[in-house]
Amino acid sequence: MAVKYERIASELRAKIQNGELQPGMQLPGEQVLRADYKVSLPVVRQALDMLESEGLVDRVHGRGTYVRMPRQRVRRTPERYQWEKDRVKLPESQRRRTGATERDTGLTMADLEFHAEYRTCPAPEDLAKLFGVPVGAKLLQRTYRTRSKQEDTPLNLNRSYLVYDMAAENPALLDPRGEPWPGGTQHQLHTIGIELDRIVDHITARPPGPDEVEALALPPGVSVFVLRKVSIDTSDHVVEVSDVLIPADRTEFVYTTKLTRWQA
Amino acid sequence: MAVKYERIASELRAKIQNGELQPGMQLPGEQVLRADYKVSLPVVRQALDMLESEGLVDRVHGRGTYVRMPRQRVRRTPERYQWEKDRVKLPESQRRRTGATERDTGLTMADLEFHAEYRTCPAPEDLAKLFGVPVGAKLLQRTYRTRSKQEDTPLNLNRSYLVYDMAAENPALLDPRGEPWPGGTQHQLHTIGIELDRIVDHITARPPGPDEVEALALPPGVSVFVLRKVSIDTSDHVVEVSDVLIPADRTEFVYTTKLTRWQA
């Protein structure tokens, strides 16, 4: 357990976390660390690699290692779904005030910048199967990026799919200028008479593609969570599928399973 | 979207998935792929890197690229917790027959090899806080590795913690020779009068350490899920904490959130 590079990483990590090393500050050089800890250079580098992959430091070639600006952390719980459902019946003035992202991050609407893009696409096989429509059927694809104004990359990349003909029952749902829609997708669905019964989260993780590394500013070696969120209405039809790409170095999912009591 | 290397990867992936390329078979060489797809060598290599990071192929230096033996996939749902709770009250003969891992993988007990190691350790800060005991208090640490007999590495690495004095109320709980315990941890806790009220799953992911790459046979670039499972009893005390390291290339978590109906 007490591997040398882990001990070095853990001491430097503690200094970053307790503020002794502030964002932007330079860490001691590799040779200094080597002498201090009486280890070889590869061991020092392994420790710094570890901190880099955790997103705590940036290593600038030929210059040194710097404490990274901390990234917005997200704690995502499924309680956000019932919370959003309860808000559907509130007046617009109240729905306008806050959303699920604010709930997960503790940020306010003034801290966030929201971007939405709509287009249509033919249903690929997996989505067609979920929605119960033919492969190639017209879908409305909505891409959302929400960014903390303190940071230059979005918190996640969210791609949401609706069956186009269903969405078109309310033409306002086809217009991205209605975003951010007060009350979110559950309110949008409500305008076409849909109530959700349940939401199923599928969580996997994979290494990012080069374009995703760039879009989400991922440190080397960091994976992305792929959250496929499937929304099912009260007559058991899939009515929305969202694929959310989430940086794995700044997100925690928390799910509570309540158990029924044993009979006395 | 239609990046060249993604298209090549997607065609080769389809051939692996539909069985045209079988486990152990060699893929066409890099030069052949380059000519077939009319792309540069770096693009071919990016496509092969992608398949490798998904665990679909092994690249053997100087020899070529081979289809990997498929790994046991795990679909982990929290329904396993209620299932395990319901089984506590069954007679031992029935509890002995199957367990939660079999439930998640579809394998039988004959397909699995189970390994348990017990030791004691002083409570670090985070666990002490969860259990409500002083830092340094004696914990029972149990390490479990469950392996499919078809594979040479375990499905996951599970490290479970109990407060030692609590476990010692039933001396049988201190003896690893009682493992695999019919009915699992919830039955073990039942023998000392404990009933669970809820289980909280915390899911994060991070790049593996070198020892973890080895222990779980992770392909390059693949992360591990870290599932911290916190079990809370009916008097609101944390009674067990498990940290489960799970390969991210062969696991899906599925959580269903049931929503309450709007009032008519």
Side-chain angles (χ1 to χ4, degrees):
Chain A
M1 289 284 91
V3 186
K4 274 188 240 165
Y5 77 90
E6 283 180 354
R7 190 170 56 87
I8 302 172
S10 133
E11 291 194 23
L12 292 170
R13 191 187 299 113
K15 286 186 187 172
I16 294 170
Q17 283 163 350
N18 71 22
E20 192 177 322
L21 287 165
Q22 295 277 333
M25 273 173 68
Q26 187 168 9
L27 267 64
E30 292 180 352
Q31 296 297 349
V32 175
L33 291 170
R34 188 172 86 131
D36 280 2
Y37 286 99
K38 299 183 178 54
V39 295
S40 67
L41 210 49
V43 168
V44 168
R45 289 189 178 143
Q46 254 186 321
L48 296 175
D49 283 347
M50 193 170 190
L51 296 176
E52 184 179 36
S53 73
E54 294 169 6
L56 290 176
V57 303
D58 280 320
R59 304 178 70 187
V60 185
H61 189 70
R63 288 190 42 216
T65 305
Y66 296 83
V67 181
R68 222 177 185 230
M69 301 306 280
R71 292 276 170 177
Q72 177 65 44
R73 298 197 68 79
V74 179
R75 184 173 186 272
R76 191 177 166 116
T77 75
E79 284 75 28
R80 77 199 320 260
Y81 300 143
Q82 183 65 50
W83 180 86
E84 201 179 69
K85 180 162 180 174
D86 293 340
R87 290 170 55 77
V88 168
K89 299 293 185 113
L90 297 181
E92 180 170 336
S93 61
Q94 285 183 49
R95 276 184 280 120
R96 216 170 253 295
R97 242 173 259 155
T98 189
T101 303
E102 291 80 352
R103 190 178 176 282
D104 287 355
T105 57
L107 297 175
T108 67
M109 295 197 79
D111 300 322
L112 291 165
E113 198 167 270
F114 184 86
H115 181 77
E117 251 176 69
Y118 284 22
R119 67 178 194 94
T120 62
C121 70
E125 204 173 323
D126 60 331
L127 292 176
K129 201 173 156 191
L130 280 168
F131 282 122
V133 297
V135 173
K138 192 170 174 186
L139 300 181
L140 180 65
Q141 178 193 284
R142 309 177 302 169
T143 304
Y144 298 103
R145 291 161 199 259
T146 307
R147 190 170 69 75
S148 157
K149 286 181 186 164
Q150 301 299 310
E151 298 179 7
D152 48 10
T153 50
L155 298 171
N156 59 52
L157 302 174
N158 183 353
R159 196 154 279 176
S160 156
Y161 299 90
L162 302 170
V163 173
Y164 186 88
D165 288 344
M166 183 194 84
E169 287 173 33
N170 176 4
L173 299 186
L174 304 177
D175 185 351
R177 287 170 302 179
E179 298 278 4
W181 187 283
T185 297
Q186 288 201 61
H187 188 275
Q188 291 176 317
L189 292 170
H190 173 58
T191 69
I192 49 174
I194 291 172
E195 175 177 2
L196 294 190
D197 173 70
R198 61 191 183 279
I199 294 179
V200 185
D201 285 347
H202 300 255
I203 301 171
T204 54
R206 60 166 173 74
D211 44 331
E212 295 163 350
V213 169
E214 163 112 20
L216 292 165
L218 297 168
V222 168
S223 281
V224 284
F225 286 120
V226 183
L227 166 64
R228 169 159 282 192
K229 170 179 164 257
V230 179
S231 297
I232 298 166
D233 74 2
T234 53
S235 40
D236 249 14
H237 293 108
V238 171
V239 290
E240 193 218 4
V241 177
S242 276
D243 288 328
V244 196
L245 281 185
I246 304 174
D249 62 340
R250 56 200 89 146
T251 307
E252 179 186 32
F253 294 91
V254 182
Y255 292 90
T256 298
T257 304
K258 180 86 181 163
L259 303 173
T260 60
R261 292 287 163 100
W262 285 320
Q263 302 307 311
Chain B
M1 289 282 92
V3 186
K4 276 188 237 164
Y5 77 90
E6 283 180 353
R7 189 168 58 87
I8 302 172
S10 133
E11 291 194 24
L12 292 169
R13 189 187 300 113
K15 286 185 186 173
I16 294 170
Q17 283 163 351
N18 71 22
E20 192 177 321
L21 287 166
Q22 295 276 333
M25 275 174 66
Q26 189 169 7
L27 267 64
E30 293 181 351
Q31 295 297 348
V32 174
L33 291 170
R34 188 173 85 131
D36 281 1
Y37 286 99
K38 300 182 178 54
V39 294
S40 66
L41 211 51
V43 169
V44 167
R45 289 187 177 143
Q46 252 185 323
L48 296 175
D49 283 348
M50 193 169 191
L51 295 175
E52 184 180 37
S53 74
E54 294 168 7
L56 291 175
V57 304
D58 280 322
R59 305 179 69 186
V60 185
H61 190 70
R63 288 191 41 219
T65 305
Y66 297 83
V67 181
R68 220 175 187 230
M69 302 305 279
R71 294 277 169 175
Q72 177 64 45
R73 300 197 66 82
V74 179
R75 185 174 185 272
R76 191 174 165 117
T77 75
E79 284 75 28
R80 77 199 320 258
Y81 300 143
Q82 183 65 51
W83 180 87
E84 202 179 69
K85 181 162 181 175
D86 293 341
R87 288 169 57 78
V88 168
K89 299 293 184 108
L90 297 180
E92 179 169 338
S93 60
Q94 284 183 49
R95 275 183 281 121
R96 217 170 252 296
R97 242 173 259 155
T98 189
T101 303
E102 291 80 352
R103 188 178 177 282
D104 287 355
T105 57
L107 298 174
T108 67
M109 295 197 78
D111 299 323
L112 291 165
E113 198 167 271
F114 184 87
H115 181 77
E117 251 176 71
Y118 284 22
R119 66 178 196 92
T120 62
C121 69
E125 205 175 321
D126 60 331
L127 291 176
K129 201 173 155 192
L130 280 168
F131 282 122
V133 299
V135 173
K138 193 171 175 185
L139 301 182
L140 180 64
Q141 180 194 282
R142 309 178 303 169
T143 304
Y144 298 104
R145 290 160 200 260
T146 308
R147 189 169 69 76
S148 157
K149 286 180 185 164
Q150 300 300 311
E151 298 180 8
D152 48 10
T153 50
L155 298 171
N156 59 53
L157 302 174
N158 182 356
R159 195 153 279 176
S160 155
Y161 299 90
L162 301 170
V163 173
Y164 185 88
D165 288 344
M166 182 194 84
E169 287 172 34
N170 177 3
L173 299 186
L174 304 177
D175 186 349
R177 288 170 302 179
E179 299 277 5
W181 187 283
T185 297
Q186 288 202 59
H187 187 275
Q188 290 176 318
L189 293 170
H190 174 59
T191 69
I192 49 174
I194 290 173
E195 175 179 2
L196 294 190
D197 173 69
R198 62 190 183 279
I199 295 180
V200 185
D201 286 348
H202 300 255
I203 301 171
T204 53
R206 60 166 174 74
D211 45 331
E212 296 163 349
V213 169
E214 164 110 19
L216 292 165
L218 297 169
V222 167
S223 281
V224 284
F225 285 119
V226 183
L227 168 64
R228 169 159 281 193
K229 170 178 163 259
V230 178
S231 296
I232 299 166
D233 75 1
T234 53
S235 41
D236 249 14
H237 293 110
V238 171
V239 291
E240 193 219 5
V241 177
S242 275
D243 287 328
V244 196
L245 280 185
I246 304 174
D249 62 340
R250 56 200 89 146
T251 307
E252 178 186 34
F253 295 91
V254 182
Y255 292 91
T256 298
T257 304
K258 180 86 180 160
L259 304 174
T260 59
R261 292 288 163 101
W262 286 320
Q263 302 308 311

